[in-house]
Amino acid sequence: MKTRITELFGIDLPILCGGMVWMSTAPLVAAVGNAGGLGLLCGGIYTAETLAAEIDRTRALTDKPFGVNVPLLWPPAAELMDVIIEKNVKVVFTSAGSPKKFTPMLKDAGIKVGHVVPNAFLAAKCQGAGVDVIIAEGSEGGGHVAFDEVSTMVLTPAVCDAVDIPVIAAGGIGTGRQIAAAFALGAEAVQIGTRFIATNECEGHTNFKQKILDAKETGTVVTGKKFSPVRNIRNTLSETVLQMEGEGKSANEIMNYIGMGRTETASVKGDVDNGNVQAGQISGMIDDIVPVQALVERLIQETKECIERLGGLFKS
Amino acid sequence: MKTRITELFGIDLPILCGGMVWMSTAPLVAAVGNAGGLGLLCGGIYTAETLAAEIDRTRALTDKPFGVNVPLLWPPAAELMDVIIEKNVKVVFTSAGSPKKFTPMLKDAGIKVGHVVPNAFLAAKCQGAGVDVIIAEGSEGGGHVAFDEVSTMVLTPAVCDAVDIPVIAAGGIGTGRQIAAAFALGAEAVQIGTRFIATNECEGHTNFKQKILDAKETGTVVTGKKFSPVRNIRNTLSETVLQMEGEGKSANEIMNYIGMGRTETASVKGDVDNGNVQAGQISGMIDDIVPVQALVERLIQETKECIERLGGLFKS
């Protein structure tokens, strides 16, 4: 499965594991690389020092390429970029900010740059800013989602039509049928999140993984629509926030109620009632916890079978 | 392109035009049938008498099969079923109610029955109730959407896994890439709505069609989340409703503000500021008004090219 993305990143398979807070740590990122894809560390939980250590930990587990996702709103973003360049990381995805800020510097250092977008207008802006790839993230995805709420089915081809550079589809992808669909829509790789949490290598808490296994496809909800929309699995926290939103409570009141550290509460401490269980709608289709290598092999096999089935459609 | 759906309905192409209020009237429904697909009249605007007349008007324009979509919440639903049986219509899709109520009666009359669902749980219930096909409608679609808000990317395969009967994908479909994606996800036909509004044959108001052409993929919003969620193109009406919702106004206050007849205001009278412009996210990818025959040919050609492109992915 060669595409412009596999060429660009020097990887065997067009399957990426997105940078997920507390989840996309060295063991998962390295395992995805070792399986032929590309994993990304999640910059948004690190200082320059702890990111450097996590990069080293990843390198100890793989000699394959990997990347770092840096949300530009994260205060130490600039320091993280210095570490990334110093440590010779090959790929950086930026999000939640302007791609103009760091793209030239990163590209000068020989790093491939992608930017995450929720609509076609921003995709065109990113291309203008010189990024190498666009990550088009549909609203069914887990974690931070855009105010726009455009789904992968529409977003992927709309973004592909708006740019010439290759596009990576994200949001709602966890089986080979969805990978084949993403390619049909014009993507040249997929970025998968939630499905990779339900793996042996992911360091997230067992309770969090169990919450994904238990969820139905209707089991997630977007909270924080007034300030920072996040898709997460329904629980005590999300129901309370939804109720406050329905009552017209202000963004400040809701943010004060939520407080800090709710993702860590769920992901690290395992309190999946009071923590923020960030996961996508694909949770409803995830029924097992498997090693990354087995998962990636399954995904490729399913994709192949799906594309063969499609080929038969016009033959009869 | 033979599938279980084309066999079941006796049609050439697995492309359906959904029943859209004020839009899916005789000329559009007949044109879709004449082009090889299947159109559905929208029962939700008719009495028994006016539906009988619309069926006759459709028959005058085509000898191909067509269907009627009946929202079960519509007060004259039972009378419409009598007319449908009497007039020997071949296909009925029901929605917004229990499929148990009319399915046995319709099937006894030799009618093929489908039910529209927003999640896999209800799909399995529908299969148990004896329907012939499931229409899985993703949240990116226009008009009435479910509280669940599951996107086509996740909903289609989740529903396919839950039932053995064939599945029609709906929501976010308006190009061949999306048709190929829907088939990759497991669907055996697609139901298209918004894209068919932007055709010569659709009797909707020109201003409504123009609103679709002007919209970006981010241009729709779901209003009425507290009582009856509807996806529509942003305008004066939707912005006002969104503001009321954000302020925590009650369902009753909002419904009183909206009042009656807002879809007619937009679709028939052409006031697309104060009317409810029901349309899906796919609006952002619609740039022309064309005859139905030309549109269907284009969709099939695009689907074919897309599937051929996918076939090349594993060859290199």
Side-chain angles (χ1 to χ4, degrees):
Chain A
M1 291 188 84
K2 294 282 167 228
T3 70
R4 286 188 289 172
I5 301 283
T6 58
E7 296 296 322
L8 188 73
F9 295 159
I11 53 178
D12 291 333
L13 301 171
I15 293 180
L16 283 72
C17 172
M20 298 174 283
V21 277
W22 307 111
M23 299 294 173
S24 303
T25 54
L28 178 58
V29 169
V32 173
N34 288 336
L38 185 94
L40 291 105
L41 296 170
C42 179
I45 53 170
Y46 298 114
T47 61
E49 198 174 298
T50 56
L51 177 61
E54 198 66 18
I55 291 171
D56 291 344
R57 192 159 79 107
T58 309
R59 285 254 162 78
L61 297 169
T62 186
D63 53 4
K64 297 294 175 81
F66 61 92
V68 181
N69 186 311
V70 182
L72 299 177
L73 286 172
W74 182 239
E79 289 93 316
L80 297 192
M81 296 302 184
D82 292 337
V83 170
I84 285 164
I85 293 171
E86 216 177 277
K87 290 277 184 186
N88 198 25
V89 171
K90 298 294 178 204
V91 177
V92 169
F93 287 178
T94 53
S95 59
S98 169
K100 284 185 187 165
K101 198 166 179 190
F102 295 107
T103 300
M105 177 179 110
L106 293 167
K107 290 193 71 173
D108 282 350
I111 295 171
K112 305 302 177 194
V113 181
H115 194 82
V116 183
V117 304
N119 63 52
F121 176 78
L122 285 174
K125 295 272 250 185
C126 287
Q127 175 169 284
V131 308
D132 298 292
V133 296
I134 301 288
I135 302 92
E137 188 160 77
S139 55
E140 53 273 81
H144 288 275
V145 293
F147 291 98
D148 288 336
E149 299 194 348
V150 184
S151 78
T152 297
M153 195 76 170
V154 174
L155 181 65
T156 312
V159 166
C160 288
D161 285 349
V163 299
D164 301 312
I165 56 176
V167 173
I168 298 169
I173 303 171
T175 70
R177 285 171 286 175
Q178 287 148 336
I179 296 174
F183 277 93
L185 296 170
E188 297 187 45
V190 294
Q191 177 172 287
I192 293 175
T194 309
R195 176 61 264 197
F196 275 119
I197 294 178
T199 57
N200 299 69
E201 289 87 344
C202 174
E203 292 189 309
H205 198 283
T206 306
N207 295 354
F208 194 113
K209 296 182 188 182
Q210 190 60 44
K211 195 86 177 158
I212 290 174
L213 298 188
D214 293 344
K216 305 220 178 297
E217 80 283 8
T218 54
T220 70
V221 73
V222 175
T223 51
K225 289 200 181 187
K226 283 186 181 172
F227 46 98
S228 174
V230 168
R231 182 174 297 283
N232 53 98
I233 297 180
R234 285 175 183 277
N235 64 3
T236 306
L237 173 65
S238 70
E239 294 301 335
T240 308
V241 171
L242 286 179
Q243 199 187 321
M244 293 176 78
E245 290 175 350
E247 289 165 358
K249 294 273 193 293
S250 73
N252 268 339
E253 282 176 283
I254 299 170
M255 282 193 285
N256 283 339
Y257 165 73
I258 296 174
M260 298 297 286
R262 292 276 193 168
T263 58
E264 201 175 347
T265 303
S267 309
V268 181
K269 296 177 188 158
D271 180 351
V272 292
D273 294 322
N274 301 298
N276 186 223
V277 185
Q278 296 186 10
Q281 292 184 350
I282 192 67
S283 300
M285 298 186 72
I286 298 173
D287 298 317
D288 55 7
I289 295 172
V290 287
V292 165
Q293 176 71 36
L295 173 61
V296 170
E297 283 171 15
R298 183 206 293 176
L299 292 174
I300 293 295
Q301 183 58 29
E302 287 174 353
T303 305
K304 197 178 278 194
E305 284 168 11
C306 179
I307 290 176
E308 282 168 9
R309 172 171 59 77
L310 285 179
L313 258 182
F314 278 101
K315 279 179 192 151
S316 52
Chain B
M1 290 189 85
K2 295 281 166 230
T3 70
R4 286 187 289 173
I5 301 283
T6 58
E7 297 295 321
L8 188 73
F9 295 160
I11 54 178
D12 290 333
L13 301 170
I15 293 180
L16 283 72
C17 172
M20 298 173 284
V21 276
W22 307 110
M23 299 293 173
S24 303
T25 54
L28 177 56
V29 169
V32 174
N34 289 335
L38 185 94
L40 290 105
L41 296 170
C42 179
I45 54 169
Y46 298 116
T47 61
E49 199 174 297
T50 56
L51 177 61
E54 199 65 17
I55 291 171
D56 290 343
R57 193 159 79 107
T58 308
R59 285 254 161 78
L61 297 169
T62 187
D63 53 5
K64 297 295 174 79
F66 61 92
V68 181
N69 185 312
V70 182
L72 299 178
L73 285 172
W74 181 240
E79 290 92 317
L80 297 192
M81 296 304 184
D82 292 338
V83 170
I84 286 165
I85 292 171
E86 216 177 277
K87 289 278 183 186
N88 198 25
V89 171
K90 298 292 177 207
V91 178
V92 170
F93 287 178
T94 52
S95 59
S98 169
K100 284 186 188 164
K101 197 165 178 192
F102 295 106
T103 300
M105 177 178 111
L106 293 168
K107 290 193 72 171
D108 282 349
I111 295 171
K112 305 301 177 193
V113 181
H115 194 81
V116 183
V117 303
N119 63 52
F121 176 78
L122 285 174
K125 295 272 252 185
C126 287
Q127 175 169 285
V131 307
D132 299 292
V133 296
I134 301 289
I135 303 92
E137 188 159 78
S139 55
E140 52 273 81
H144 288 276
V145 292
F147 291 97
D148 286 337
E149 298 194 348
V150 183
S151 78
T152 297
M153 196 76 171
V154 174
L155 182 65
T156 312
V159 166
C160 288
D161 286 348
V163 299
D164 301 312
I165 55 176
V167 173
I168 298 169
I173 303 171
T175 69
R177 285 171 285 175
Q178 287 148 335
I179 296 174
F183 278 93
L185 296 169
E188 296 188 45
V190 292
Q191 176 171 286
I192 293 175
T194 308
R195 175 61 263 196
F196 275 119
I197 295 177
T199 58
N200 298 68
E201 289 87 344
C202 174
E203 292 188 308
H205 198 283
T206 306
N207 295 354
F208 194 113
K209 296 181 187 182
Q210 190 59 45
K211 196 86 178 157
I212 290 174
L213 298 187
D214 294 344
K216 304 219 179 298
E217 81 281 8
T218 54
T220 71
V221 73
V222 176
T223 52
K225 288 199 182 188
K226 283 187 181 171
F227 45 99
S228 175
V230 168
R231 182 174 297 284
N232 53 99
I233 297 181
R234 285 175 182 278
N235 64 3
T236 306
L237 173 64
S238 70
E239 294 300 335
T240 308
V241 171
L242 285 180
Q243 199 186 321
M244 293 176 78
E245 291 175 349
E247 288 164 2
K249 294 274 193 294
S250 73
N252 267 340
E253 282 175 284
I254 299 170
M255 283 193 285
N256 283 339
Y257 166 73
I258 296 174
M260 298 297 286
R262 292 275 192 168
T263 58
E264 200 174 350
T265 302
S267 309
V268 180
K269 297 177 187 158
D271 180 352
V272 292
D273 295 323
N274 301 299
N276 186 222
V277 186
Q278 297 186 9
Q281 292 184 349
I282 192 67
S283 299
M285 299 186 71
I286 299 173
D287 298 317
D288 54 8
I289 295 172
V290 288
V292 165
Q293 176 71 35
L295 174 60
V296 171
E297 283 172 16
R298 184 205 291 174
L299 292 174
I300 294 294
Q301 184 59 29
E302 287 175 353
T303 306
K304 197 178 278 193
E305 284 167 12
C306 180
I307 290 177
E308 281 167 10
R309 171 172 59 76
L310 285 179
L313 258 182
F314 278 100
K315 279 178 192 153
S316 53

